[in-house]
């Protein structure tokens, strides 16, 4: 009988170790951070909820660096895989994703391609710094920016949309 108890304890330990290994495999991998000193950079999660349907709503992890004029935005799925990368500089923007690569002279055009909506990137950089700048059709709630939370609402053009950002700490 003692051998059976020992086998049962071994089975429970093996199940526990196997479960721990599965949980570790599902964890979001850390992303390398090679950002030059003095560069504005933020990471976290963002979500866009559009009132007219779930097909235009999305959420993703993100890394945002640079400025409204020269910057990079990388979006990640929950497992840490890259969904898309946006790079922009004056007069040029590129969108790289696993299934396509697009170039444009307009960052806004590529953001619409990516999200189905135009997002106020220039204002977003200011909002993340705590500056309540105006963006046409948008209103930002910066009351929780000190705790890494931002909510911006688009009233115009319709449909209304809500952008939520939670910064990693």
């Amino acid at each position: 009988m003692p051998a059976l108890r020992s086998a049962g304890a071994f089975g429970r330990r093996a199940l526990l170790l196997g479960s721990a290994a599965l949980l570790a495999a599902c964890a979001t991998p850390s992303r390398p951070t090679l950002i030059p000193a003095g560069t504005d950079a933020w990471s976290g999660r963002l979500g866009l909820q559009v009132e007219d349907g779930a097909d235009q709503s999305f959420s993703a992890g993100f890394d945002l660096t640079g400025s409204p004029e020269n910057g990079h935005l990388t979006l990640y799925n929950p497992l840490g895989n890259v969904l898309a990368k946006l790079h922009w500089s004056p007069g040029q923007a590129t969108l790289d994703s696993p299934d396509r690569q697009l170039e444009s002279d307009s960052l806004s055009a590529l953001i619409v391609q990516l999200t189905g909506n135009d997002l106020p990137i220039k204002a977003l950089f200011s909002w993340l710094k705590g500056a309540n700048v105006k963006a046409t059709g948008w209103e930002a709630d910066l009351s929780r920016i000190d705790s890494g939370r931002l909510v911006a609402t688009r009233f115009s053009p319709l449909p209304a949309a809500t952008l939520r950002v939670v910064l990693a700490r």
Side-chain angles (χ1 to χ4, degrees):
M1 238 13 195
L4 289 177
R5 285 188 194 144
S6 174
F10 176 77
R12 283 191 298 275
R13 285 188 199 124
L15 181 62
L16 204 78
L17 287 173
S19 298
L22 282 174
L23 286 174
C26 292
T28 302
S30 63
R31 300 185 293 261
T33 54
L34 301 173
I35 300 166
T39 301
D40 287 327
W42 298 272
S43 292
R45 297 221 27 96
L46 62 85
L48 179 67
Q49 183 177 4
V50 180
E51 285 191 15
D52 78 338
D55 57 329
Q56 290 190 32
S57 299
F58 77 94
S59 66
F62 77 93
D63 290 327
L64 175 64
T65 60
S67 69
E69 295 78 26
N70 292 292
H72 305 278
L73 173 65
T74 304
L75 299 175
Y76 302 92
N77 70 15
L79 296 176
N81 299 319
V82 173
L83 294 172
K85 291 182 180 184
L86 276 167
H87 304 278
W88 63 92
S89 58
Q92 181 181 358
T94 60
L95 167 64
D96 292 312
S97 67
D99 60 339
R100 63 185 168 181
Q101 182 176 10
L102 301 172
E103 292 187 16
S104 176
D105 58 356
S106 167
L107 175 60
S108 292
L110 292 182
I111 289 174
V112 170
Q113 285 286 321
L114 181 62
T115 67
N117 292 275
D118 192 13
L119 300 177
I121 294 295
K122 184 174 184 174
L124 181 60
F125 276 90
S126 295
W127 293 339
L128 290 170
K129 292 178 184 178
N132 195 4
V133 301
K134 300 296 179 201
T136 304
W138 288 84
E139 183 177 302
D141 175 1
L142 303 179
S143 62
R144 297 179 60 202
I145 197 68
D146 289 341
S147 62
R149 296 184 181 271
L150 162 70
V151 177
T153 305
R154 182 183 69 202
F155 297 103
S156 173
L158 292 176
T162 304
L163 175 67
R164 288 182 172 80
V165 177
V166 178
L167 298 174
R169 291 289 175 174

